[in-house]
Each structure stands twice: as structure tokens, then as C-alpha cells.
Amino acid sequence: MRLDPALWAGKPGLSKLLGALDADSGTTRFVGGAVRDWLLGLPVSDIDLATRLKPDAVIAALERAGIRAVPTGLQHGTVTAVSGGVPHEVTTLRRDVATFGRHAEVAFTDDWQEDARRRDFTINALYADPGTGELIDFFGGLDDLKSRRVRFIGAPLERIAEDHLRILRFFRFSARFAPELDAQGLAACAARANDLMALSRERIRDELLKLLALPSPEPTVAAMLAHDILKPVLPEIAASRLPALAALIAAEGAARVAPDGLRRLAALLPESPPLAAEIAARLKLSNAGKGRLVHAAGRPAVPDDPRALAYSIGAEPTLDRLLLTGDPRAAQWAGPLSHYTRPRLPISGKDLIAMGLPPGPAVSRRLAEVEQLWVAAGFPADRNKTMAIAREVLGVR
Ligand code: ATP
Ligand code: MG
């Protein structure tokens, strides 16, 4: 079986890169997600290359061709080649020497099959020759792709012992490609769910948010909850929240808002701001991410002009609230909120003092009152209008 080389013929910088690596002589192949997605007829943005050249030879070849080489993961054999302005990961064929569940020691190899064997799922271990489009499939990935099966290469329990992140990857790729979970894979993931605790929170977070951001993750999340996969990491998520996730996904669709993993996580959590803060810390979310979870859990009401809420809690948490409550205004406000910049109160404490307010702590208090009325008045940018509000607050003419 072959892929049509026209699929990548026009990709910027690619033919120069393949020439530099002498791909025509069989040194280098496409691998992983790009091959899988080309076969499925999906758009491909990231193209990963596997090569028999050792990393120093890759770097030398790129330098000779004037292609920038960034040693992004040199000890693991990965060089990022920036060709035509596009980054491509070029990774030397590897085999595992020792695995530790959270990281592995690798050695370089010339053997394509050894490289394939350390990949996670059969559909992720397909190679394609860049010159001819010929497909190389050691583990039945083509069949699995045809029947939409996400299947571990080798024995699932062993593969999970080697790298625990594969538990979450199994569910993520299944949610993306498979109508049903592979029974053997599911059983192994369920048996080893506690292993997730050995992983860094950042890796769990990234993988989970990617899963939640897929077009329809609910059946997969339901299966994960039914099999206690998330219990070791996020015991707070209860199956009773699944309808809230489904409702959010429908609301995002109706409002034509892009899926967002964090907002979907918010839908799955109990309505408790302190708990949301704790979970945000556990998952090492940014301050903005933490704010979104906490505000979503706090359920602030969205006023007639949602910008009034955006002014105090931010535009993203406001859009989250509209979507999480199924508010029909979400479609109308999604655009304005995504371009929202917080307006500035056009007067300051100095103006109040000039109006006769004695300097002191009262100034900021009165200014806050002015600000509240200014927000209620729709944030007039006009200084004179705002001065009029201030005169009213201070009772001066
Ligand atoms: P995506 O479109 O989500 O990026 P992808 O298949 O490119 O899908 P990546 O996470 O980018 O997935 O990984 C690239 C390839 O590296 C995979 O296709 C797989 O072959 C291999 N791989 C990545 N992570 C693992 C892992 N934890 N264990 C085994 N192989 C892995
Ligand atoms: Mg990828």
C-alpha cells in the first residue's frame, strides 16, 4: 500500500529537508501522527521524521544544507529542523535499553522494527517512504486504522509498566479515532490506573486537557470514570457531572466556540471554589487557568452586559460562565469577549482630590464607588461623563 506523494509535495521546506537527509537513499521516513492522519484523509500539520542517521550526522547534514538545527532532545535522538520556517522533528531510530515508568533510557539502532516496537499503538507506528509513499507496517496498524482500533503494540500491561502516560494516551487516541475501547487495553489501563500517580502533574494535565478538548470526549470520559481511571488523580470528578459536560459541548457547538479542555474540566468539577483552587494547584495550572476553574465553580451570575462581569473577573471566565450555564447570549458574546480589552477608568484619585476630597484612604474608596457606577453606565471612555459620575458620588457640582 502507498500514500500519494502529492500529499506532501507542496509542504514548505520539506523537500529541501528530505534532500539534506538523503531520504531517497532510504535513510529517512515519515512516522507516527502524520502517516496516520494522511491515511485517514485528515489535515496534517506536524510532520515527524524517523532516520537511521545518528544525531550528529543529522546536525551535520542540516548545517551543510543551511537548515537550522535545534537540538531539542538530543539525548533522545531528536533534532528539530527548521526548514522553510516550519519546524520538523527528526529523530534517530531508537530502542529502549531500560524503562522506568516515567522515563526511559534509549540506544540508537538501524532497525526500523525496533524503533516501531517502542511506539505506543499500532496506528501510531506506521512509516511512509517520502519518495515513493510506500507504507511500512510491522504490527497491523493499517488494519487497525481501517477498523478504527486503538491497540497497544505488544502486551498492554508491559507497555504501561514501561511508560504510565500510555494509560491516558490510550484513552485520548481512542476518543479521537475509535468508536469502542479495545477490551485488552482497557483492562490493562484499569488495572494500572494507580501508576498515574507516579507521573508529573504537568504531564497528566497536558494529556488530560488534550483529551477533553477533542470533539466528543464524553463517552471516553464516561468509560474512564466507570473504570476509576481518574480516581488516583482527580477523585473529585463524579459521573453525575457527565450531563454537564455534554451540555457544555452542545453549547460550544451552538455558539461556534472552539473546544477548550480547561472549560470542559470545569464542567466536570463540583461547584466549590476552594476545591477548584486545590485542583488547579494539583494540576499546576497557570494563574489564569486557576482563575477560570475557580470562577466557573463560583457560579457568578452574568449581568445584562457581560462586559461588566468581564471587567471584574476577565473575559475568558465570563465566556466560560455563559457556556457552562447554557446562556443563549453565548453566541452573540463569544466574539466580543474573545477580543475584549479591559477599559480603563478615565479619571483617577487626583481628580477627586481636585474636586475637594481630602487626600487619604477615603480617596480610593470613593474612586471604587465611581468605578462601580462607571461600569454600570457601560464604561464611558469619555472623561467628562466620568467626571459627572464622580461629582454625583462626591455630591459636588
Ligand atoms: P498528535 O496528532 O496528537 O500529535 P501523534 O501521533 O503525532 O498525534 P505525539 O504525541 O506527537 O502523537 O507522538 C508522536 C509519535 O511518537 C506517536 O505517534 C508515537 O509513535 C510516539 N509516541 C509518543 N509518545 C509515546 C509514548 N508515551 N509511548 C510510545 N510511543 C510514543
Ligand atoms: Mg504529534
Side-chain angles (χ1 to χ4, degrees):
M1 224 184 130
R2 277 171 205 285
L3 281 174
D4 182 355
L7 285 166
W8 51 88
K11 295 274 185 192
L14 187 60
S15 65
K16 181 174 177 191
L17 172 60
L18 293 168
L21 298 171
D22 196 18
D24 278 347
S25 72
T27 56
T28 303
R29 291 169 173 171
F30 299 125
V31 67
V35 180
R36 180 196 66 218
D37 292 352
W38 274 323
L39 280 161
L40 290 172
L42 300 173
V44 167
S45 49
D46 291 351
I47 298 176
D48 294 333
L49 295 164
T51 185
R52 302 172 77 159
L53 303 178
K54 300 295 178 279
D56 48 350
V58 171
I59 292 174
L62 295 178
E63 275 171 2
R64 274 198 303 277
I67 296 172
R68 191 154 71 90
V70 188
T72 37
L74 218 46
Q75 71 282 26
H76 285 99
T78 301
V79 175
T80 299
V82 187
S83 182
V86 182
H88 300 84
E89 288 203 347
V90 181
T91 304
T92 303
L93 303 189
R94 298 167 295 186
R95 65 183 157 81
D96 285 331
V97 173
T99 56
F100 306 92
R102 37 194 302 173
H103 65 101
E105 231 173 81
V106 297
F108 300 130
T109 173
D110 283 334
D111 185 339
W112 293 97
Q113 185 161 1
E114 277 190 322
D115 185 75
R117 193 178 299 127
R118 71 179 295 282
R119 295 177 183 273
D120 43 11
F121 309 112
T122 62
I123 61 167
N124 282 352
L126 296 165
Y127 301 76
D129 183 282
T132 62
E134 185 199 347
L135 288 157
I136 298 96
D137 174 17
F138 297 105
F139 300 107
L142 288 170
D143 274 352
D144 284 342
L145 199 57
K146 212 175 285 161
S147 33
R148 300 245 166 198
R149 266 196 306 261
V150 173
R151 206 163 51 84
F152 280 96
I153 294 170
L157 282 171
E158 283 171 27
R159 304 312 311 284
I160 291 168
E162 290 168 5
D163 178 355
H164 311 323
L165 195 68
R166 290 174 188 156
I167 296 174
L168 294 179
R169 288 177 64 88
F170 172 75
F171 289 102
R172 175 159 75 87
F173 285 99
S174 296
R176 209 161 141 196
F177 298 115
E180 270 172 53
L181 294 164
D182 171 68
Q184 244 200 325
L186 174 60
C189 289
R192 303 309 308 173
N194 278 332
D195 291 353
L196 288 174
M197 285 192 285
L199 294 174
S200 78
R201 302 297 169 186
E202 291 91 334
R203 293 181 77 202
I204 294 177
R205 171 198 66 205
D206 291 350
E207 201 58 41
L208 194 63
L209 293 182
K210 276 191 211 169
L211 189 165
L212 289 173
L214 289 171
S216 14
E218 333 73 289
T220 307
V221 174
M224 293 172 85
L225 294 177
H227 290 87
D228 288 342
I229 304 294
L230 293 176
K231 210 169 190 174
V233 184
L234 285 167
E236 295 85 356
I237 297 182
S240 59
R241 299 290 310 173
L242 284 166
L245 174 63
L248 168 64
I249 291 171
E252 287 173 345
R256 296 173 183 279
V257 171
D260 182 283
L262 205 59
R263 189 187 301 129
R264 289 172 173 191
L265 176 62
L268 288 168
L269 296 180
E271 300 175 14
S272 157
L275 191 59
E278 190 191 313
I279 290 169
R282 190 187 310 154
L283 295 178
K284 305 223 159 93
L285 295 181
S286 65
N287 280 335
K290 173 182 167 184
R292 289 179 64 190
L293 282 196
V294 170
H295 288 307
R299 322 249 131 194
V302 185
D304 285 343
D305 184 344
R307 288 172 302 182
L309 183 61
Y311 185 77
S312 59
I313 72 170
E316 246 188 340
T318 301
L319 180 59
D320 289 346
R321 287 293 301 151
L322 286 168
L323 291 163
L324 285 162
T325 52
D327 194 310
R329 295 172 294 166
Q332 163 202 347
W333 282 99
L337 286 172
S338 70
H339 298 114
Y340 178 85
T341 43
R342 194 170 187 267
R344 275 187 49 141
L345 184 67
I347 67 167
S348 72
K350 276 193 197 134
D351 295 302
L352 302 192
I353 292 168
M355 284 177 199
L357 188 66
V363 173
S364 63
R365 218 172 46 232
R366 303 314 293 272
L367 190 65
E369 285 173 47
V370 174
E371 187 183 27
Q372 243 178 32
L373 290 173
W374 171 78
V375 169
F379 324 91
D382 187 282
R383 195 176 136 78
N384 289 332
K385 273 190 194 155
T386 312
M387 289 295 268
I389 294 173
R391 278 195 292 275
E392 214 166 285
V393 166
L394 298 187
V396 297
R397 325 199 132 258

